[in-house]
Amino acid sequence: MSDEWRRLDARMLAVHPVQEVVRLLPVLIGVLFIGRGGQGQIWSLVGLGLAVAAGLLRWFTTTYQVTADHVRVRRGLVSRRELSVPRDRIRTVDLTSRPLQRVLGLTRVVIGTGRADRAGAEGVTLDALATAEASRLRAELLHRRSGSSEHAAPLVDVLAELRPSWVRYGPFTLSGIAAIGVVVGSLANLLNEVRLDRDDFGAVESFLGRTAAAPVWLLVIGVLVLTLVLVSVLSVVAYVLAFWNFRLARGEGVLRVTRGLLTTRQTTIELRRLRGAEVSEPLLLRAARGARCSAITTGLRGEHSSSVLLPPAPRVEAHRVASDVLRDPAVTAEELVRHGTRAHSRRYTRALSVAAGVTAVLAALAVFAGWPAWMWQVALASFPIGAALAEDRYRNLGHALVNGKLVFRQGSLVRRRQVLATDGVIGWVFHRSFFQRRAGLLSLTATTAAGRQHYTGVDIPAAEAIALADAAEPGLLEPFLVRR
Amino acid sequence: MNPVVDLRPPANLVSRKAILFWTARAAIGWVVVLAAEGVWLGLTGWAPLVVVLIVTAVLTLAHLAVMPQWRFRVHRWETTAQVVYTQSGWINQERRIAPVSRIQTVDTERGPLERLFGLANLTVTTASARGPVQIHGLDHDVAQRLTQELATNTQGTPGDAT
């Protein structure tokens, strides 16, 4: 590949103005059609002009270069900035096309370095290249080591594809609540821009007047049902937008995820960076027997959107995908080693002492500071809730070591099963709080360069935890072990 | 082989001077709190503040009497050609172990108070953002010798240690 400096695709010159116009659509409607333009809206139009000009300027001032060792991007008119990413540091190359870009055949390329030790060094974005050019660049950057093929490796093995029935899990993810925020925000913005007065809402006013006469309980139920329906519908919409056409495939040395209805995304995970997988079940999703699955990879920290292996789907499906990706069905086996009676009672002690503390404080405030008595009476409910949570948390506690993979499971509000290959374990932390020492328990943490950077088995009986760490990485602890 | 029952603590204690250092550091914090309360009492003359002041003073004495000794007994370290092994904390305790082959950097760091007592902290980082192994309260020359030793052992391990 030559070292010439290249520009982004010229079709972006058409994309920028349209994007800005769409974003400021409420203002335009207000000015052009309703004709209530004031001083502020004229300034909004000036802002629109400036935004379009800035977008065009960005195209003219951005160039990039791909050499044998580096990817470089130069941008800026007055203060020129050059971002340089060494090619052997490139961990991810993600492709995204927003609707307008898709129509024009354009794709945004995000080159990630995923450095764990430096914040802000997140790689470079090329917004946007022609789609064919983008996939060629990805193939070049990711497959250089495996023989520098000009084309992407064929994806032989489809591991999972979205089934339309999975959309039913949408409402259990609560993504609709975020969507409501966005919708309400833009509606408020629109109303504000077009400057509707209360007088314009005659129909709404009379409707509100009539409902005010209805009994309170009916209103409450009505609002609840309406909210529930709205959240569900929006959650489904959000699910479809994000995950339609979802497909997880395995090719030579890579996993590739393709998804999205309007905006399409393609993410690639190199198998040599894969260290494990995580199956997570937030409480609502768990109640619907659903789960999601993500990859634990070096270079992708925490819960990265690039590490999605399966959207909310039936739990068996999430387990199957985790097993398939790690090529080991044992990692999702139901039977795990339980943590025993002391871990069990510790869950109760913790939950109930929180409940007792809250109730006691509220009761004291009621007696000495004249707070209403119903507050501590309501707080009494935290005892049964705490007990239920404690029992569930204990039942979800478990660990295992199968075929060189460490498995931890815990959590109640979000239950997670984390599978980490032992060759990805960098070190161990044995944490013992005062009460854990008295109970003969410890929390075993495996530190790693992948995913969340640390994975913990909570409240394992001490001797068992030490034996587990020893079995996972034989020899490392040997000089310090005490044997019977 | 017999089943594993326990992990013995690391062999070496940190410097005895660390007891004084921890006492001094905690004392500075408490003095600030006590002074603030004293000033408040002086300005307002609000009687219940006397009780608060006495309680704070008792807590200060208890903390200064117990914490440094306890910490000193817990804080331990050991290195072999293969691993760095530490124990730290007092009420909550932690043992950390990292293979020398996975070490990325070895730093010593000294604040003004540490310099006053001739102490240094040693930090060993690995490719995991959650994996640094720290030894607090080492004698300065011990810390320097250890840094040298670890740096030599780490060299010649290929790969990026992830």
Side-chain angles (χ1 to χ4, degrees), chain A residues 66-87:
Chain A
V66 181
T67 70
D69 306 317
H70 285 86
V71 176
R72 292 200 180 90
V73 177
R74 280 186 188 157
R75 52 170 53 114
L77 177 68
V78 181
S79 62
R80 298 283 290 167
R81 235 156 54 94
E82 182 172 313
L83 279 161
S84 180
V85 178
R87 280 178 62 166

Side-chain angles (χ1 to χ4, degrees), chain A residues 402-422:
Chain A
V402 283
N403 310 325
K405 292 175 201 79
L406 204 54
V407 183
F408 289 135
R409 188 182 64 188
Q410 69 240 308
S412 179
L413 297 179
V414 183
R415 179 168 77 173
R416 300 176 199 279
R417 173 192 288 260
Q418 296 161 331
V419 183
L420 182 67
T422 51

Side-chain angles (χ1 to χ4, degrees), chain A residues 158-179:
Chain A
V158 176
L159 299 181
E161 266 179 314
L162 183 86
R163 274 184 234 127
S165 63
W166 293 355
V167 167
R168 69 178 186 274
Y169 291 105
F172 296 99
T173 60
L174 294 184
S175 53
I177 291 177

Side-chain angles (χ1 to χ4, degrees), chain A residues 140-331:
Chain A
E140 190 195 331
L141 293 178
L142 286 186
H143 300 289
R144 188 172 64 125
R145 301 167 202 87
S146 57
S148 171
S149 57
E150 276 294 299
H151 305 283
L155 296 165
V156 280
D157 208 2
V158 176
L159 299 181
E161 266 179 314
L162 183 86
R163 274 184 234 127
S165 63
W166 293 355
V167 167
R168 69 178 186 274
Y169 291 105
F172 296 99
T173 60
L174 294 184
S175 53
I177 291 177
I180 282 189
V182 173
V183 169
V184 168
S186 46
L187 270 183
N189 191 22
L190 180 66
L191 290 181
N192 185 30
E193 287 293 348
V194 300
R195 302 225 179 139
L196 291 177
D197 295 324
R198 269 175 89 86
D199 306 344
D200 299 333
F201 287 103
V204 179
E205 284 278 288
S206 70
F207 173 73
L208 284 178
R210 257 179 289 140
T211 48
V216 175
W217 62 268
L218 201 64
L219 271 182
V220 170
I221 290 177
V223 167
L224 275 181
V225 168
L226 198 68
T227 312
L228 215 60
V229 169
L230 207 60
V231 168
S232 303
V233 169
L234 286 174
S235 298
V236 167
V237 170
Y239 189 101
V240 168
L241 283 177
F243 297 118
W244 201 249
N245 292 327
F246 177 92
R247 170 203 283 254
L248 169 67
R250 177 162 46 204
E252 207 181 323
V254 295
L255 292 171
R256 180 156 303 154
V257 171
T258 318
R259 64 192 175 96
L261 179 67
L262 299 176
T263 298
T264 59
R265 290 169 214 280
Q266 280 186 39
T267 54
T268 309
I269 294 169
E270 288 180 279
L271 287 175
R272 66 192 181 91
R273 299 200 186 280
L274 189 72
R275 296 289 181 272
E278 175 172 319
V279 175
S280 58
E281 302 162 81
L283 195 59
L284 270 179
L285 196 57
R286 177 147 65 101
R289 304 189 66 74
R292 44 163 69 106
C293 182
S294 54
I296 296 175
T297 324
T298 61
L300 294 179
R301 263 185 103 173
E303 281 178 301
H304 200 280
S305 65
S306 299
S307 58
V308 173
L309 289 181
L310 196 71
R315 185 192 307 148
V316 281
E317 198 68 14
H319 280 179
R320 188 189 61 74
V321 164
S323 303
D324 278 4
V325 162
L326 301 176
R327 296 178 189 271
D328 186 353
V331 298

